[in-house]
Amino acid sequence: MRQSFEKAEAIFREHNGILRTSQAKALGIDPKTIAEMREAGLVNKMSRGLYRLSEYPPLDYPDFVIVASRVPKAIICLISALAFHNLTTQVPHKVYISLPQSIRSPRIKIPELDIIWLSEESYKNGIEEHLLDGITVPIYSKAKTIADCFKFRGKVGKDIAIEALKDYVQLPGADIEELLRYARINRVEQIMRPYLEAVTS
């Protein structure tokens, strides 16, 4: 059994210590082995069908890692993305994600998700890939996130969208043209522009 554990642990390490059950099985790890490793304290269950080697240090972004591992099409957005980019004082109690309209709502209870479905053009634009805890997590850029917050101002609150806009334009790398491009994609340019003019005048 120890030999099978060592082989499984080596495979886990090749994947930053995290594997879904389906991944593990495809890589030659029997689901029974994972159950035995869990009983032995070698792996921890992070979420349904998602395991991580217990020897690894605590994650800095556990919710993002779970979402990126279990919902491959998910893009971190809205308040979750604002918080990641330090553009809000809000602490999100859910993970805000976007999905293309063709994707069904994922079966995931922890962490709690707040989902928006976007058109193909809006969904695929403005994605950045960030390596967090060894896992690639797609997150919308600052400018795209602000445009999304104006589009979904009824969900996040108009005050939060405006505050993020104020913070963004003060950043050294703020790109107003990029911001307006995403606003046009989201069809909120006319809504955003007066606030933009007010904070840049």
Side-chain angles (χ1 to χ4, degrees):
M1 185 180 289
R2 183 66 242 175
Q3 190 173 6
S4 65
F5 282 179
E6 288 175 356
K7 180 184 174 184
E9 286 176 296
I11 294 171
F12 264 91
R13 289 190 195 100
E14 289 171 6
H15 294 80
N16 298 300
I18 297 175
L19 284 174
R20 296 195 306 273
T21 306
S22 57
Q23 276 182 301
K25 190 174 181 180
L27 292 166
I29 303 175
D30 191 299
K32 186 180 176 183
T33 300
I34 293 181
E36 291 168 348
M37 290 174 72
R38 188 183 177 194
E39 286 180 19
L42 298 173
V43 297
N44 296 319
K45 183 178 181 180
M46 295 180 64
S47 181
R48 184 172 176 264
L50 186 66
Y51 296 88
R52 184 171 186 260
L53 287 177
S54 54
E55 67 185 41
Y56 277 52
L59 295 168
D60 292 323
Y61 298 91
D63 289 350
F64 284 10
V65 167
I66 291 171
V67 170
S69 299
R70 289 199 55 195
V71 192
K73 294 281 187 182
I75 315 295
I76 304 299
C77 67
L78 298 179
I79 297 178
S80 293
L82 286 182
F84 177 79
H85 291 305
N86 295 312
L87 288 171
T88 185
T89 56
Q90 299 292 313
V91 178
H93 300 294
K94 306 174 183 177
V95 178
Y96 289 79
I97 65 169
S98 77
L99 290 171
Q101 293 172 344
S102 59
I103 300 294
R104 290 183 181 181
S105 181
R107 294 181 182 179
I108 177 169
K109 293 183 179 179
I110 300 173
E112 187 177 354
L113 302 180
D114 198 317
I115 306 169
I116 58 171
W117 279 268
L118 298 178
S119 67
E120 183 180 356
E121 187 178 17
S122 184
Y123 169 78
K124 70 183 182 182
N125 272 280
I127 300 170
E128 297 177 344
E129 292 189 337
H130 295 268
L131 192 65
L132 306 178
D133 297 313
I135 299 296
T136 300
V137 180
I139 303 175
Y140 283 123
S141 69
K142 297 180 181 74
K144 173 60 160 56
T145 298
I146 290 168
D148 285 344
C149 285
F150 271 90
K151 182 177 179 65
F152 293 94
R153 59 198 179 279
K155 177 186 283 286
V156 304
K158 188 168 70 174
D159 290 349
I160 290 174
I162 295 169
E163 196 63 40
L165 178 65
K166 287 179 182 176
D167 290 346
Y168 176 75
V169 299
Q170 293 172 9
L171 295 175
D175 188 331
I176 303 303
E177 284 306 311
E178 182 184 25
L179 186 63
L180 289 171
R181 181 169 73 84
Y182 292 131
R184 284 191 288 273
I185 289 172
N186 281 349
R187 299 178 182 177
V188 290
E189 182 181 4
Q190 298 308 313
I191 294 166
M192 183 195 291
R193 191 176 279 278
Y195 296 104
L196 181 59
E197 290 173 352
V199 298
T200 55
S201 59

